[in-house]
Amino acid sequence: MYLKDHIVRVENIKTMQTLDAAGIDHKVIAMFMSCEGIPMQSIDICTILNNYDALGSKKIPSKKVQALINAKQLGEEDDSLPCPASY
């Protein structure tokens, strides 16, 4: 199982990849994403694009992926944690 298959909001990364492939400057992509409600800097775009490509390079055991998914679900279902939108 690849982590790349389980990233939330992959459509945002696909948008960044498409704009990058079209030769659009990372500063412009960052501005576009910021206008879409996702505040970013050009270094963020570069880092995300580089790291996303690296995620598909190595397969990890399904047990580890399932543990990550379970941990995420526990965090989502825990009412004692503050809501990120409240910041």
Side-chain angles (χ1 to χ4, degrees):
M1 185 177 294
Y2 291 98
L3 284 177
K4 187 184 261 189
D5 297 333
H6 297 278
I7 293 179
V8 178
R9 304 282 187 253
V10 169
E11 65 272 7
N12 292 333
I13 296 173
K14 294 295 182 188
T15 300
M16 286 184 240
Q17 287 176 326
T18 303
L19 295 172
D20 182 58
I24 297 175
D25 188 82
H26 288 177
K27 290 180 184 179
V28 176
I29 298 172
M31 179 62 73
F32 173 77
M33 298 305 287
S34 295
C35 291
E36 292 293 313
I38 306 166
M40 302 188 97
Q41 302 286 326
S42 60
I43 189 69
D44 299 328
I45 301 296
C46 185
T47 302
I48 288 170
L49 292 173
N50 290 338
N51 288 329
Y52 183 78
D53 290 339
L55 286 176
S57 64
K58 184 177 179 183
K59 194 169 185 173
I60 62 172
S62 295
K63 283 180 151 183
K64 289 184 179 182
V65 172
Q66 192 59 48
L68 288 168
I69 292 169
N70 291 341
K72 182 171 174 47
Q73 287 174 341
L74 284 174
E76 289 174 353
E77 296 170 2
D78 189 351
D79 292 334
S80 67
L81 296 173
C83 176
S86 66
Y87 296 127

